Amino acid sequence: PAAEPAPSAEAPGVAEEPAAVADPELIARTRDLHSRELELAQKYVKLGDLYFRSGRYAAASDAYARAIELAPEDVALHFIQSDAQFAAGDYSAAAGSIRRALARDPELARASADKTKIYEDPKVFAEQLGRLEGHVQRQPLDGDAFLVLGYNLVFSGRTAEARAAFE
């Protein structure tokens, strides 16, 4: 650690003026840029939602990825993207998105949500979950798929089954 400078004998108790004072115009432009990025991120989320509802899950995942680039502090976007990745059958990518979200905010694991409600027809979710269950039966060493299975079971109200997936 660097030694702190000795206090000035000429002006005891007076703090030095910082070398650079924040430029109010620069701050305003930065806030405006950030605001525009968040607006664009919201548009990408809406686009992703449109793709998701129409069954274009890979396109939805791409739109959500764009939103994440623009609003990286929005941890929930990683979960939203994982839903599209799961629906597309990309379990490895979905597991990565889940891990990124939980690494940033572990408390999200305790949230309550019903994933079946993001589908216009809950049967579609049941079919996708069935495909994932079939996948883990055929690939019992696919840890990513088991993570995605457990996550989907928890957030569809099937916590007892989720415990088994996580074990």
Side-chain angles (χ1 to χ4, degrees):
E4 291 188 26
S8 171
E10 297 172 358
V14 176
E16 287 188 31
E17 184 73 23
V21 178
D23 179 359
E25 185 178 326
L26 178 61
I27 291 171
R29 281 189 280 157
T30 301
R31 283 186 185 140
D32 184 49
L33 176 63
H34 184 68
S35 175
R36 282 185 279 160
E37 287 175 342
L38 292 179
E39 286 176 28
L40 186 55
Q42 289 172 349
K43 289 179 182 181
Y44 275 115
V45 169
K46 288 179 182 179
L47 179 62
D49 291 348
L50 178 67
Y51 285 143
F52 191 93
R53 284 191 302 275
S54 66
R56 296 176 60 194
Y57 304 118
S61 177
D62 290 343
Y64 297 139
R66 292 284 183 104
I68 291 168
E69 289 173 10
L70 294 163
E73 69 283 352
D74 189 342
V75 177
L77 291 176
H78 293 281
F79 280 131
I80 293 169
Q81 185 181 35
S82 78
D83 292 335
Q85 293 162 328
F86 152 72
D90 191 348
Y91 307 132
S92 180
S97 293
I98 293 166
R99 286 186 184 101
R100 282 187 292 281
L102 292 175
R104 288 181 170 94
D105 188 355
E107 288 302 310
L108 287 174
R110 300 187 200 305
S112 66
D114 184 355
K115 286 194 45 155
T116 62
K117 292 185 181 193
I118 66 173
Y119 292 83
E120 290 186 23
D121 183 355
K123 290 179 188 173
V124 174
F125 174 76
E127 290 168 3
Q128 292 168 352
L129 192 59
R131 280 195 295 276
L132 175 55
E133 289 170 328
H135 175 83
V136 297
Q137 287 174 356
R138 291 185 305 279
Q139 303 289 326
L141 299 178
D142 188 344
D144 286 343
F146 274 100
L147 171 62
V148 176
L149 177 61
Y151 164 79
N152 280 283
L153 291 170
V154 165
F155 289 106
S156 62
R158 297 165 59 183
T159 54
E161 292 172 74
R163 282 189 191 97
F166 288 130
E167 292 177 347

